[in-house]
Amino acid sequence: MDVTEQRRAEARIAHMAHHDALTGLPNRVLFHERLDEALLRLRRQDEKLAIHYLDLDQFKNVNDTLGHPVGDLLLKAVADRLRLCLRESDMVACFGGDEFAVLQMGLAGAYEASDLADRIVNLMSEPFDIDGQQVVIGASAGIAVASNDGDCTDLLVRNADMALYEAKEEGRIFRFFEPGMDTRLRVRRALELDLRNALAAGEFQLYYQPLVILETGVISGFEALLRWRHPQRGMVPPVEFIPLAEEIGLIVPLGEWVLRQACAEAAAWPRDLKVAVNLSSVQFKQGKLIEMVFSALTSAGLPAARLELEITESILLEESKINLATLHKLRALGVSISMDDFGTGYSGMSYLRAFPFDKIKIDRSFISELGASQDCMAIVLAITKLGSSLGIRTTAEGVETEEQRELLRNHGCTEMQGYLLSRPMPASEVKKFLTSHRNVWQSGEYGLNAQGPVLAESAYPRDPVEP
Ligand code: C2E
Ligand code: CA
Ligand code: CA
């Protein structure tokens, strides 16, 4: 009997079970088997080995924009390059998609692992020529070393994966596993779970921080700032949960809640007061932003002219054409658009020409150094000058001292916001604040000589809705 054909078929099946179909590299099964064997040997000899867990940046982007066939060719090219980096005793595997892992044997020290990771990441950053097209990607790596970071396969792979996660979080090209990482990750996972429930559980609330016109002392409006009242942890600040909400996509429904809530609450304020709402760049990607803003305004009965949307430069950095079109449509609704945290981003001034912003908010970092640093003084002066020549109002953020306020007023800055005027407050305190501000200001304590009331009582809508 001729068994050649059968043998060949068996061999092919065995190969398929142990290799990634697209790249031909060993798959997760074979990688784990090899690692098991290597760890056994390690126990007998006093050697070290490293596992590098790799992830390609921008791969999804390439797939989405250039198509899957190009994505597949790119993965093959990546596999070829990876093979080139390695020694005979090392092994590279593809875990499917754009996840790769390297097993590095016979390590004399950790430095050899960082050398290899460095080499791999550099090689991945060189442009690829795919079908005559130049494709540029990048890569990050997480490294676990045996036996330091674990002596069993599953643990080592998990630890390398965790290190990769941290590397990406921190924008680093590679990162070694460290014992604290799993605790941090567990804390983050727990926070993520809680965050997913928080919206339905009604744990969010908006605080409002007033803005004052420097020349006249008139309150022009309030910025809505999101607060999360966690049942066990208490108040969680937005810097801790907004990036997470963006990552898990929760910012879309959450941002919608913020907008609707802010419009509804502002509708109960005196008619000359505006409300400013922060938008995340993720909300622009979702595509329904214009309809959502329109719907929030109409259901609250708030005129569009009383809504300001605050965006950061990042919105103009990614997908700038689409986002610019969205901004123009939003403005066509009648809402104003402010450039937030100005000065912290990339090419700053050039963005001001890209879109007719209504307001520039000068980042707090420049204001806090205002008295002390000549540079900050010069930057603030440049921004206010540019603003007034382009007809854009300027708001100084984070004003905490009288000295800063006076400098800003002398520099021609339009508005200020900061603890000097007031900390953010719950909606229920807005009315009380407006009354006391008017009294303080009229008595001259505010340091202004202008005459007349900040707000007439009659400016309140007939039936103020108490939030
Ligand atoms: P931001 O938009 O720059 O908001 C101003 C931040 O500065 C607020 O922090 C405010 O409490 C703080 N601040 C105001 N005056 C002073 C001052 O005089 N000194 C100091 N040291 N800080 C002052 P908060 O409320 O913690 O918010 C932080 C950031 O979270 C905001 O920065 C904004 O980027 C984001 N954020 C807040 N609410 C939302 C929201 O509803 N949606 C989105 N996408 N982001 C939000
Ligand atoms: Ca803001
Ligand atoms: Ca800001």
Side-chain angles (χ1 to χ4, degrees):
M1 217 194 326
D2 185 8
V3 291
T4 326
E5 198 49 42
Q6 193 185 340
R7 289 272 151 76
R8 220 177 269 151
E10 278 170 8
R12 208 179 309 132
I13 291 167
H15 187 269
M16 272 163 62
H18 286 98
H19 292 82
D20 173 61
L22 179 70
T23 57
L25 288 179
N27 64 9
R28 193 186 290 269
V29 177
L30 188 51
F31 187 85
H32 278 227
E33 279 179 19
R34 281 287 170 76
L35 184 53
D36 282 341
E37 290 164 18
L39 287 171
L40 273 177
R41 252 178 292 134
L42 210 62
R43 260 167 237 153
R44 292 193 300 265
Q45 299 151 12
D46 193 27
E47 260 188 15
K48 280 188 192 309
L49 64 80
I51 294 159
H52 303 248
Y53 211 117
L54 308 175
D55 183 70
L56 306 181
D57 313 328
Q58 299 301 326
F59 175 69
K60 200 183 160 302
N61 234 342
V62 170
N63 240 347
D64 292 347
T65 53
L66 302 176
H68 287 278
V70 174
D72 285 355
L73 288 175
L74 176 63
L75 289 177
K76 284 188 191 168
V78 165
D80 290 342
R81 276 198 196 170
L82 283 171
R83 286 191 190 99
L84 283 178
C85 296
L86 304 182
R87 290 173 310 182
E88 200 64 45
S89 56
D90 301 339
M91 175 190 203
V92 56
C94 178
F95 288 179
D98 64 336
E99 272 177 62
F100 294 86
V102 169
L103 173 57
Q104 185 184 14
M105 304 292 297
L107 232 61
Y111 68 92
E112 282 190 43
S114 50
D115 283 353
L116 179 61
D118 207 42
R119 218 158 55 232
I120 291 174
V121 172
N122 277 325
L123 207 59
M124 290 303 135
S125 317
E126 295 285 321
F128 285 87
D129 181 16
I130 308 289
D131 248 1
Q133 292 191 75
Q134 271 227 341
V135 178
V136 181
I137 56 168
S140 332
I143 311 167
V145 177
S147 50
N148 310 14
D149 303 335
D151 56 4
C152 82
T153 299
D154 288 339
L155 186 64
L156 279 167
V157 172
R158 199 165 44 148
N159 287 348
D161 188 19
M162 212 156 357
L164 171 64
Y165 177 85
E166 292 255 330
K168 293 186 85 91
E169 259 322 73
E170 296 169 1
R172 302 225 291 218
I173 59 172
F174 67 83
R175 187 98 160 73
F176 280 92
F177 171 78
E178 280 165 18
M181 280 181 183
D182 40 354
T183 331
R184 279 206 293 282
L185 198 67
R186 232 176 292 131
V187 168
R188 204 195 100 103
R189 293 250 159 88
L191 192 68
E192 187 180 317
L193 270 182
D194 291 348
L195 191 58
R196 287 185 193 277
N197 293 323
L199 191 56
E203 288 165 11
F204 290 110
Q205 189 185 353
L206 290 183
Y207 269 44
Y208 293 94
Q209 189 178 32
L211 291 94
V212 70
I213 297 172
L214 280 161
E215 201 55 44
T216 59
V218 171
I219 301 293
S220 57
F222 291 81
E223 175 176 4
L225 294 162
L226 189 56
R227 296 291 177 263
W228 178 16
R229 223 178 264 282
H230 189 285
Q232 283 88 40
R233 295 155 147 255
M235 280 287 201
V236 185
V239 287
E240 276 180 35
F241 70 83
I242 285 179
L244 187 55
E246 288 176 333
E247 221 170 282
I248 65 177
L250 187 79
I251 195 71
V252 173
L254 182 55
E256 174 163 359
W257 178 85
V258 169
L259 195 71
R260 291 185 182 279
Q261 184 76 5
C263 289
E265 286 176 331
W269 301 343
R271 280 183 291 268
D272 48 359
L273 290 180
K274 291 182 152 202
V275 66
V277 174
N278 293 287
L279 289 184
S280 148
S281 62
V282 180
Q283 289 173 275
F284 277 74
K285 292 195 187 108
Q286 184 251 354
K288 288 239 162 51
L289 189 59
I290 301 148
E291 291 86 337
M292 201 262 280
V293 171
F294 182 74
S295 154
L297 287 168
T298 37
S299 36
L302 189 76
R306 289 181 59 193
L307 177 64
E308 291 181 336
L309 297 174
E310 297 193 358
I311 64 152
T312 53
E313 283 169 352
S314 65
I315 286 175
L316 297 179
L317 202 69
E318 321 149 358
E319 302 288 345
S320 61
K321 268 210 186 110
I322 303 170
N323 289 348
L324 268 177
T326 307
L327 284 177
H328 280 287
K329 285 184 194 150
L330 285 170
R331 210 151 172 273
L333 288 180
V335 306
S336 3
I337 311 287
S338 310
M339 165 70 83
D340 203 356
D341 304 338
F342 189 73
T344 55
Y346 304 84
S347 53
M349 305 281 179
S350 70
Y351 288 115
L352 295 178
R353 291 199 194 88
F355 183 78
F357 287 97
D358 298 281
K359 183 187 275 189
I360 303 167
K361 300 191 76 174
I362 308 169
D363 192 69
R364 190 165 79 224
S365 53
F366 300 109
I367 310 302
S368 59
E369 300 271 310
L370 205 54
S373 147
Q374 285 300 321
D375 282 354
C376 286
M377 194 91 106
I379 290 168
V380 171
L381 194 58
I383 299 173
T384 53
K385 271 200 174 140
L386 189 72
S388 65
S389 72
L390 293 171
I392 308 175
R393 282 173 288 141
T394 42
T395 299
E397 299 190 296
V399 178
E400 293 184 355
T401 68
E402 304 275 349
E403 186 200 5
Q404 290 164 354
R405 185 186 63 198
E406 284 320 299
L407 283 169
L408 288 161
R409 193 158 52 174
N410 296 335
H411 280 10
C413 187
T414 325
E415 254 179 0
M416 66 157 244
Q417 176 181 0
Y419 295 167
L420 178 67
L421 178 64
S422 167
R423 287 186 179 254
M425 64 191 92
S428 56
E429 287 172 22
V430 165
K431 192 174 173 184
K432 199 170 71 209
F433 167 80
L434 289 171
T435 313
S436 72
H437 175 78
R438 185 181 52 220
N439 294 340
V440 168
W441 180 70
Q442 276 181 329
S443 69
E445 281 172 50
Y446 191 67
L448 296 165
N449 310 315
Q451 293 293 309
V454 176
L455 289 163
E457 200 62 64
S458 65
Y460 270 97
R462 189 100 30 93
D463 295 306
V465 189
E466 229 19 275

